[in-house]
Every structure is written in C-alpha cells, then in structure tokens.
Amino acid sequence: MDRNRLIWDINPSGTTGGSGTRLTASAVAAELSRITPRDRQLLDLLDQHGTFTTKQLTALAFGTVGRARNRLNLLRDRGVLDRFRHYQRPGSQSWRWVIGPLGAAIVAASRGEALPRAVAVRDATARLATSPILDHLLAVNGFFVALTAYARAHDGMTLIRWWNEARCRDATGNLVRPDGHGVWQAAGRPVPFWLEMDLGTEPVWRVAGKVAGYADLGTRRAYPVLFWLPTHQREANLHAYLARHGSPDGVTVATGAADTTDPDGPAGQVWWLPGHPGRVRLADVPVPAGGTP
C-alpha cells in the first residue's frame, strides 16, 4: 500500500458543503446564525495560514483536545471546515484542518467577493494536501501557534502581528523571502522579527546565505531574523559557519532549535545571538535602531 496515500473526509454529495452543491447566499446566511466568534477566528486563521493540525487548533482556540474535536467535527459536518491526512503506519497521522466550501463562502461574503465554487475549494485542498511544502507550512504555523498559546497563558505577553509568507513577500518585494513575520510584545516592549524556518533539508551554507538579503531591507524593516532549526547540532553548525564567514552589518540574527527542552518554547530563553555567550528570551532579542513594527 502506498504510504503516501491521502485520507480525506468528503462530505456526502447533497449536504451543504458537498462538492456537487452550489454555494448560495441563502446557505451562507443560514450558517451565519450558527457561527460563533471563535468559529470566525478559526476561519480567518485558516484563510490566512492554510492549515493546522488538531493539536495546533486546540492550542489556538480551545481548552482541551476533546472540546476541539467536538467543535471541529461539527463544523466539518456542516461544510464549514474540511480535513485530510496521509496514510501512516503504525498509528495514524493527526488530521490537518482546512477551510471548507461553506467556510470559504462565508469569508468571501464578508469581503464582498463572489462566492467560490465548492469544487474549486476542494481542488485547492487537494493541492495543499499533496504539496511538497506542507510539512514546512505546518512547522511555520506551529511556531506562531506556540507563541500564541504561551501568550494566552501569561499576562503581559501578546503576539500582536502574524503574517504569512505571501504577506511578507508583499512587504519585502524580491529582496528576501521570510517564512513569516511577527511582533512579540512582552511588558509593553515590542520585538518585531522575520522568521526563517529550517527543517534541515538544505546545506548550512545556503541557510546562512539567506542573511545577506535582509541587509537590503533598509532601517524601517531592520527586524531581527530568527532562524528556527530542527536540532541544536544543526544550530551549532550554522553558528560555526557564520563565525567563519561573518554576516552583514546591521542585521541581527538569533537562532533557536526545535529540540529545546525549555517549556516556554520559542518564547523562552532559547535564542542564541552569534558571537554572544548564553541565550536570551525572545522578549530580550535586540532590535536594531529604526526597526519599528
């Protein structure tokens, strides 16, 4: 059996979210009477960031996995959300949640746009489900989910901005291609940053080479560049390369590793600045002069 076989829940044709059903304004209006503010938040997040796992959505908007599953499955039954996963043995892969046909229609209606065709929404889901960048997208989203969840549990902490790759590209042109952008605020101090997510699939020299482009952004966009690497060994290799070859003036680089044991995750004391001893919290990463949110 193909280990990459796609397992995808498809609502029966004839239901509101069925692929053969035409989305109408009346269907959107009927669903709006049942959509909660949290449901709308989920739709906006999925529209902007593509997909999240059940665990990620639990951290973003629910108190427990049980509550999350109950609500997510209800929204799936109504065509507001959809989900997929890949065949995995042993065990099973976590569901990847996406916006469903009716959910996409609600988002479109809120923007004054034409309602999408249900089949077009499902085609987009199929492309995402088979995309080679899916794991990378989930890792990027997981980084921001961890910050959001930490802020929910700690007073004075807020993720006040979260941009996806497309929004970053609009802001930076072709100079760099950040995987995400955020502004982390702790005790009133904002720390804007660009995120470079590394899954260990490229040589270290290529990862380090990404730093050069950030020197061309100008002072207004001179945010720290955060490299989130899969392991501390990979992180040490990147620092060794930067120590040998240097990095452009005016660019603040900080690195962290996904295998950290710090319970605070990326919000914690996990950031290593090249040439500096020890590690600092995300709230204490230095921001170059002029790098305002």
Side-chain angles (χ1 to χ4, degrees), residues 138-207:
L138 286 168
V140 172
N141 287 348
F143 180 92
F144 286 98
V145 167
L147 291 179
T148 303
Y150 185 86
R152 289 182 66 199
H154 295 82
D155 293 337
M157 308 286 182
T158 311
L159 181 64
I160 60 178
R161 185 186 295 162
W162 173 4
W163 288 357
N164 60 23
E165 182 181 354
R167 183 79 180 272
C168 292
R169 191 162 56 248
D170 290 341
T172 62
N174 294 320
L175 296 175
V176 288
R177 297 196 64 174
D179 295 313
H181 162 65
V183 179
W184 179 245
Q185 183 167 280
R189 178 183 183 258
V191 178
F193 62 86
W194 302 112
L195 175 67
E196 288 285 350
M197 175 62 64
D198 175 57
L199 298 185
T201 58
E202 298 179 315
V204 167
W205 63 263
R206 182 171 293 170
V207 176

Side-chain angles (χ1 to χ4, degrees), residues 71-228:
R71 188 61 185 175
L72 295 175
N73 286 329
L74 180 62
L75 292 173
R76 177 184 62 86
D77 291 342
R78 302 203 311 245
V80 177
L81 300 183
D82 211 337
R83 67 184 189 180
F84 65 86
R85 63 185 177 189
H86 293 86
Y87 175 78
Q88 177 175 293
R89 186 177 180 181
S92 59
Q93 189 181 65
S94 173
W95 288 109
R96 279 78 168 110
W97 292 89
V98 294
I99 198 166
L102 189 50
I106 291 171
V107 172
S110 70
R111 295 174 178 167
E113 299 172 355
L115 300 187
R117 295 167 57 238
V119 67
V121 178
R122 291 200 177 280
D123 284 348
T125 296
R127 288 193 297 271
L128 175 61
T130 56
S131 170
I133 68 168
L134 176 60
D135 288 344
H136 186 268
L137 175 61
L138 286 168
V140 172
N141 287 348
F143 180 92
F144 286 98
V145 167
L147 291 179
T148 303
Y150 185 86
R152 289 182 66 199
H154 295 82
D155 293 337
M157 308 286 182
T158 311
L159 181 64
I160 60 178
R161 185 186 295 162
W162 173 4
W163 288 357
N164 60 23
E165 182 181 354
R167 183 79 180 272
C168 292
R169 191 162 56 248
D170 290 341
T172 62
N174 294 320
L175 296 175
V176 288
R177 297 196 64 174
D179 295 313
H181 162 65
V183 179
W184 179 245
Q185 183 167 280
R189 178 183 183 258
V191 178
F193 62 86
W194 302 112
L195 175 67
E196 288 285 350
M197 175 62 64
D198 175 57
L199 298 185
T201 58
E202 298 179 315
V204 167
W205 63 263
R206 182 171 293 170
V207 176
K210 297 178 181 181
V211 177
Y214 288 96
D216 299 326
L217 288 181
T219 56
R220 183 169 174 269
R221 299 290 193 189
Y223 307 149
V225 184
L226 306 184
F227 285 86
W228 192 244

Side-chain angles (χ1 to χ4, degrees), residues 51-70:
T51 183
F52 296 94
T53 65
T54 303
K55 182 178 179 180
Q56 289 172 345
L57 289 180
T58 299
L60 280 172
F62 299 92
T64 66
V65 173
R67 289 177 60 197
R69 286 174 177 163
N70 289 339

Side-chain angles (χ1 to χ4, degrees), residues 238-250:
L238 177 59
H239 277 258
Y241 185 93
L242 291 174
R244 291 195 304 270
H245 299 277
S247 57
D249 293 337

Side-chain angles (χ1 to χ4, degrees), residues 20-41:
T21 303
R22 184 177 181 83
L23 297 168
T24 64
S26 60
V28 171
E31 187 59 37
L32 286 176
S33 67
R34 300 190 289 180
I35 288 288
T36 68
R38 182 173 59 188
D39 297 336
R40 277 310 313 266
Q41 177 193 18

